[in-house]
Amino acid sequence: MEVNLAWRDERLTFYNLRSSAGLPNILDNDILSLLWVPGIYFPSGLFEENLKLETGTMTHTTVTAVPGRNGSLTTLNSYETLEYPGSDVVLHIKMLTLVTTTCSFTLRAYPFDTQMCVIPMKLDGFGTFQIAEEHLRVLSNDLSLPVFEFRPVRCFYNASLSQEVKMGLLLTRRSGAFLLSSIGPCVVLLLLGHLSFVAFPLHQFTDRASTSLSLLIVVAALFSQMSSTMPESAQPKAIDMWFFYCILRFFIFFVFHCIVDHHYKKSIEADKRQKESLASSKQQEALIFFKAPSLDSLKDPCEPPDKGDNDEPCHHGRWVTEGKCSLPSITLPHPWLTPQLVNRMSLFFGVFQDLMFVVGFIIHLNTTNSFTKTQFYTFKDCSERGWR
């Protein structure tokens, strides 16, 4: 970090300063030991680095004096000199230092999160001095990091804390690797789970169930591998919600296959009972019922026909088929909830459930990241102001 400070000290008087911008008036260490120089302190930084910053260790510091107007002629020790009062001279100090600060991250949307890091910086010293807000300026270079993307740094100044400035950094995590390593494989496995409803016949329950359980084991192993590399947090992260839903979906796949198999077995039993009832009714229709002969037919034999009569002769065996009758066939009611319908309903319900979860997942990410961005944009854009 490069920190540039500018101030005036009315208690000082300077002599023979160069007014050319190309020839700065660099103050040596002997003069600096006699001047008051503002110090910088980072409340969220490491103690060792703040100590080095205070003592000047591992910090490159340069102090220059820039006169605001031409000096006045005077004599000093019998020599003619140009005198510059301290109110007309601006002192500049430039410090190059390495700063390590801590930031509090909210991992609710991890790994598709946007984080805001606040770095407070205070003027270290005694007195009633305060920061001139109209001259506050914060600049940041275009940085490209392997994990985060930067937005221009903003600043926040509170008049009640006149010696402190807060800098806000908006960090957007690069999530391309997570899409290929976690989200993409889960989407492929979910598609395989949906295909198990159409790729296997209804009677192959073993293949359907083994497919769902195998996919469940694969997702659980992938989640265990990802958990070892994710940052720890007490609150659930978005990637945790995603994997838990995938594990739950494969369990639901298995339950759906069990329901389909149950209805398939019920339909097989119903068809079996239908066939048995139809076979029983046909067998009863094939039976011939005999009517017992009456007593009169046994006592009076059939009279021979008259010679002139053309009627057919009677037969003693005509009573054999007189009692024949047919029973009505039995038809069982066909159930409306067929296993094919249950299988189709399970597939459509699973697709609808996945779409609803994806929509809710995206809304959750947008809501969380929008809240962080709103906090960031409450800070001011300090890049178009005066001194830094």
Side-chain angles (χ1 to χ4, degrees):
M1 181 179 293
E2 176 183 334
V3 180
N4 293 337
L5 297 176
W7 75 100
R8 291 183 175 90
D9 195 340
E10 298 178 354
R11 302 170 298 175
L12 302 178
T13 302
F14 296 88
Y15 297 95
N16 297 331
L17 295 178
R18 290 188 293 265
S19 59
S20 176
L23 298 174
N25 300 284
I26 301 177
L27 306 182
D28 56 21
N29 293 330
D30 294 336
I31 298 178
L32 289 179
S33 61
L34 303 176
L35 298 181
W36 174 86
V37 178
I40 300 297
Y41 175 74
F42 294 92
S44 61
L46 299 179
F47 174 77
E48 294 81 2
E49 294 183 356
N50 281 316
L51 183 61
K52 292 179 181 179
L53 188 62
E54 181 180 359
T55 58
T57 308
M58 301 298 292
T59 301
H60 179 71
T61 304
T62 303
V63 180
T64 60
V66 179
R69 60 182 180 178
N70 296 328
S72 58
L73 288 174
T74 186
T75 57
L76 179 65
N77 297 329
S78 302
Y79 292 96
E80 186 179 75
T81 60
L82 291 176
E83 182 180 85
Y84 298 87
S87 58
D88 295 336
V89 178
V90 179
L91 297 174
H92 293 268
I93 182 173
K94 181 175 71 174
M95 293 180 290
L96 291 175
T97 183
L98 178 65
V99 180
T100 303
T101 62
T102 58
C103 295
S104 178
F105 280 9
T106 302
L107 300 176
R108 293 177 57 189
Y110 179 89
F112 309 100
D113 53 334
T114 299
Q115 304 292 342
M116 179 181 177
C117 183
V118 179
I119 303 177
M121 182 175 62
K122 296 180 64 176
L123 290 177
D124 187 20
F126 299 97
T128 58
F129 54 89
Q130 64 181 12
I131 299 174
E133 184 181 5
E134 63 273 11
H135 296 304
L136 182 62
R137 186 181 180 190
V138 178
L139 298 178
S140 62
N141 298 328
D142 294 333
L143 300 178
S144 178
L145 299 180
V147 180
F148 292 101
E149 293 180 355
F150 269 96
R151 293 290 180 87
V153 181
R154 289 174 168 254
C155 65
F156 177 78
Y157 176 74
N158 188 359
S160 61
L161 302 174
S162 60
Q163 299 180 6
E164 179 177 327
V165 176
K166 293 183 179 179
M167 295 176 291
L169 284 76
L170 189 66
L171 310 175
T172 303
R173 192 183 302 273
R174 300 177 184 269
S175 56
F178 292 97
L179 290 175
L180 295 178
S181 62
S182 58
I183 304 298
C186 290
V187 171
V188 174
L189 295 177
L190 286 173
L191 291 177
L192 292 177
H194 288 297
L195 289 177
S196 63
F197 286 94
V198 296
F200 299 102
L202 298 182
H203 64 276
Q204 294 183 356
F205 170 74
T206 303
D207 296 337
R208 288 167 164 252
S210 60
T211 300
S212 300
L213 295 178
S214 300
L215 296 176
L216 176 61
I217 294 173
V218 172
V219 172
L222 183 62
F223 179 48
S224 177
Q225 181 181 359
M226 290 290 298
S227 299
S228 60
T229 59
M230 290 189 296
E232 297 182 359
S233 63
Q235 58 186 357
K237 300 178 284 292
I239 194 67
D240 297 333
M241 298 168 56
W242 175 267
F243 274 104
F244 177 77
Y245 174 77
C246 292
I247 293 174
L248 182 63
R249 280 294 291 121
F250 289 118
F251 169 73
I252 296 176
F253 281 150
F254 179 77
V255 172
F256 281 164
H257 290 318
C258 292
I259 295 174
V260 172
D261 183 69
H262 174 70
H263 283 273
Y264 178 76
K265 290 181 179 179
K266 287 181 62 176
S267 65
I268 294 297
E269 294 178 358
D271 292 341
K272 184 178 179 180
R273 289 196 299 268
Q274 180 78 12
K275 292 179 181 179
E276 291 177 353
S277 61
L278 292 176
S280 176
S281 62
K282 290 181 179 180
Q283 183 179 4
Q284 291 177 0
E285 288 179 359
L287 294 178
I288 299 177
F289 293 88
F290 294 92
K291 181 180 180 181
S294 61
L295 183 61
D296 296 336
S297 63
L298 293 177
K299 291 181 178 180
D300 299 331
C302 182
E303 297 180 356
D306 297 336
K307 293 180 180 181
D309 193 359
N310 294 327
D311 294 338
E312 296 179 358
C314 62
H315 299 279
H316 293 284
R318 67 179 184 273
W319 52 270
V320 174
T321 59
E322 289 180 357
K324 180 180 178 182
C325 64
S326 60
L327 297 177
S329 60
I330 302 175
T331 304
L332 296 177
H334 191 72
W336 67 272
L337 192 60
T338 61
Q340 291 80 7
L341 180 60
V342 174
N343 185 70
R344 199 175 298 114
M345 291 172 57
S346 301
L347 177 61
F348 290 157
F349 179 77
V351 173
F352 176 76
Q353 187 178 5
D354 291 341
L355 292 177
M356 293 301 296
F357 173 77
V358 171
V359 172
F361 187 74
I362 294 175
I363 293 176
H364 170 71
L365 296 180
N366 290 335
T367 303
T368 305
N369 293 332
S370 298
F371 178 75
T372 304
K373 293 179 180 178
T374 302
Q375 286 185 326
F376 174 74
Y377 287 114
T378 57
F379 282 45
K380 298 179 181 179
D381 184 7
C382 304
S383 60
E384 299 298 333
R385 298 191 180 182
W387 299 108
R388 286 179 288 181

